[in-house]
Amino acid sequence: MTDKNTPLVSVCFPVYNGADFVAKALASVLAQSYEKLEIIIGDDQSTDGSADIIAAFKDPRITYLRHDNNLGQFGNINALLHRCHGEYVAIYHADDIYEPTIVAEEVSFLEAHPEVAAVMAQCWVIDTHDRQTGQMAVIDNFPYNTGLDFQQWLVAMMRHRNRFWRTPSFLARAKVISESDGFSEAYRDIGDFEFQMRLATQNKIAVLDEYLFSYRRSPTQITTSYNQTRVFRDDFFKVIDKYLTQFRDQLTIPVNVEIEYAFHRAADDVLRANNAIKISAIDEARAILKNPFPWRCLRIPTQDLLYPKLRTIGIRLLLKLALACGCAGLAVQVLKSLGFAELGK
C-alpha cells in the first residue's frame, strides 16, 4: 500500500538500441519496493527491437516516448526531464540492474536531509552475462551519507576523480532539476558529470556508502570505447578546470589535493600515449609523454591511490623505453595481455 502523501518519483529511463539489457533493467525498476513511480522511457530512435521488448511490459506506471529524431544521450535525458511530474526525479540507465530498495533508500535519505538536493550510491560491476566482476571501493575517511558543499565536492573530484559514485544511481529533488539548464552536449560522454558539478555549485549532494545497483560494463559501452580510443585530454579535466577557474577566489584547495589532481592528469597522459601508439601516431605519443610527471604525489599517503600511482609510473616508463627502442607496438600488446587495455580505469 502507498500512502497518499507518499511523494511521486519520476524515473527517467533513456534507451538507445538497448535490446540486450533493457528487459532486465526495466524489470528491476518495476520491482522497486517503492511503488509510487512514474517511469518515463525515452527511445532515441532504436533500431534493434528495443521498442517491442518495452511494449511487452504492461504496467500503468510506464510512459513510452519514441523521439521523432535521434536526440543523443543527453538530449534524450533533457526531453524526459520536461515530462516529469514527481517531487523527486531519478535518472537510471537501461543496461544496469537496480536493487529493489534503491528508490526507497534514496528518497528516505532526502526526506531526512532537507538540506541535500541530490543523492547517489555505490555499485557492483557486472559484465554482459550479469556476472559480478568487481565493485566500487568505499574510500577510507570519505564523508559518505552527508551533504557535501561545492568545495568538498570539488576537492573529492580532484583527489579521487569520479570513482566514489556512479551517475546511474542519481536521484534529486525536482525543484533543483527544474532550476537547472539540463544536460550539456558540450562534454562528449561526461555531460552528466558536468551537470552534477553545476548542481553542486548551488546545492549539497550526498553519496551513500550502500551498494544499491549493478553497473554494467561492456565492449560496446560509450565510456569503454571513449577510453580505449581517445588521444585528446579527458573532458573530466575540462570540467574541473572550468569550475576551478570560475570559483578560484571562493575556494581553498589544499596543496596535496592540487598534487593529486596533477597525478590524475599524468595518468591520463599515459592512457592517451598508449592509444596514440595503437594508431601509429608515434610522434604524438612522444609529445604526450614529455609532459612532466608530479613525482611529489608519491609522498602523499593516500592508500586508495597507491596502486594506480605505481601502475601509472611503471606503464609510463615502459612506453617511454619502448618508444626509444622503436618497439612501442610490442609494448602496447604486452600491456593488453596483462589486462591494461583500458588504462583509464
Side-chain angles (χ1 to χ4, degrees), residues 8-296:
L8 175 67
V9 175
S10 300
V11 177
C12 296
F13 197 80
V15 179
Y16 176 66
N17 286 345
D20 289 342
F21 309 117
V22 68
K24 289 179 179 178
L26 183 53
S28 72
V29 175
L30 291 169
Q32 289 298 304
S33 61
Y34 193 100
E35 298 179 355
K36 196 169 182 180
L37 305 174
E38 64 169 3
I39 301 163
I40 310 169
I41 301 173
D43 186 343
D44 205 20
Q45 290 281 303
S46 295
T47 59
D48 66 346
S50 292
D52 293 334
I53 295 170
I54 293 167
F57 288 85
K58 308 299 182 184
D59 192 300
R61 295 175 295 175
I62 294 176
T63 298
Y64 173 77
L65 306 171
R66 182 175 174 85
H67 304 309
D68 294 333
N69 303 295
N70 183 280
L71 303 178
Q73 180 182 5
F74 300 118
N76 190 357
I77 295 174
N78 286 335
L80 298 181
L81 293 177
H82 290 302
R83 300 292 294 264
C84 293
H85 302 95
E87 185 176 335
Y88 294 104
V89 174
I91 301 173
Y92 294 165
H93 288 189
D95 57 353
D96 298 323
I97 299 176
Y98 293 89
E99 293 298 301
T101 60
I102 184 172
V103 174
E105 295 195 41
E106 291 186 335
V107 169
S108 177
F109 182 88
L110 291 181
E111 289 281 285
H113 298 83
E115 76 283 3
V116 178
V119 63
M120 286 172 279
Q122 307 302 292
C123 70
W124 295 283
V125 179
I126 57 175
D127 64 14
T128 55
H129 301 288
D130 300 342
R131 294 176 301 209
Q132 191 177 129
T133 59
Q135 64 186 64
M136 294 190 71
V138 174
I139 299 169
D140 290 342
N141 301 316
F142 186 86
Y144 292 102
N145 307 314
T146 187
L148 305 179
D149 61 27
F150 178 60
Q151 168 142 330
Q152 291 172 307
W153 190 256
L154 181 63
V155 164
M157 292 293 179
M158 293 175 68
R159 289 193 66 186
H160 307 290
R161 295 201 56 163
N162 52 341
R163 294 190 175 101
F164 55 92
W165 55 272
R166 279 280 181 260
T167 292
S169 63
F170 178 83
L171 185 140
R173 301 182 190 278
K175 182 177 184 293
V176 172
I177 298 290
S178 66
E179 292 172 350
S180 74
D181 293 326
F183 288 72
S184 171
E185 297 280 0
Y187 299 93
R188 283 179 262 252
D189 75 327
I190 62 168
D192 48 2
F193 167 59
E194 191 278 332
F195 176 74
Q196 284 139 21
M197 286 294 298
R198 198 172 351 119
L199 285 187
T201 63
Q202 301 294 327
N203 305 277
K204 289 188 176 182
I205 299 177
V207 180
L208 305 183
D209 61 0
E210 297 179 71
Y211 291 82
L212 297 178
F213 77 110
S214 294
Y215 176 79
R216 191 181 306 279
R217 280 189 178 155
S218 68
T220 58
Q221 195 175 43
I222 293 174
T223 304
T224 301
S225 59
Y226 173 80
N227 279 315
Q228 289 186 351
T229 60
R230 66 178 173 82
V231 295
F232 52 84
R233 175 72 71 194
D234 190 348
D235 279 355
F236 168 84
F237 300 99
K238 180 179 178 181
V239 173
I240 295 294
D241 291 346
K242 169 187 173 181
Y243 287 102
L244 269 176
T245 300
Q246 184 175 342
F247 293 94
R248 175 62 76 176
D249 293 342
Q250 304 170 36
L251 299 168
T252 303
I253 306 297
V255 173
N256 280 2
V257 173
E258 297 272 11
I259 295 171
E260 296 288 55
Y261 183 55
F263 160 71
H264 291 306
R265 198 182 292 270
D268 191 59
D269 286 338
V270 169
L271 180 148
R272 294 165 58 217
N274 185 71
N275 290 342
I277 293 169
K278 289 180 189 177
I279 60 173
S280 300
I282 302 302
D283 288 342
E284 186 165 3
R286 288 197 178 99
I288 291 170
L289 290 175
K290 284 182 179 178
N291 292 333
F293 187 87
W295 295 101
R296 289 186 299 168

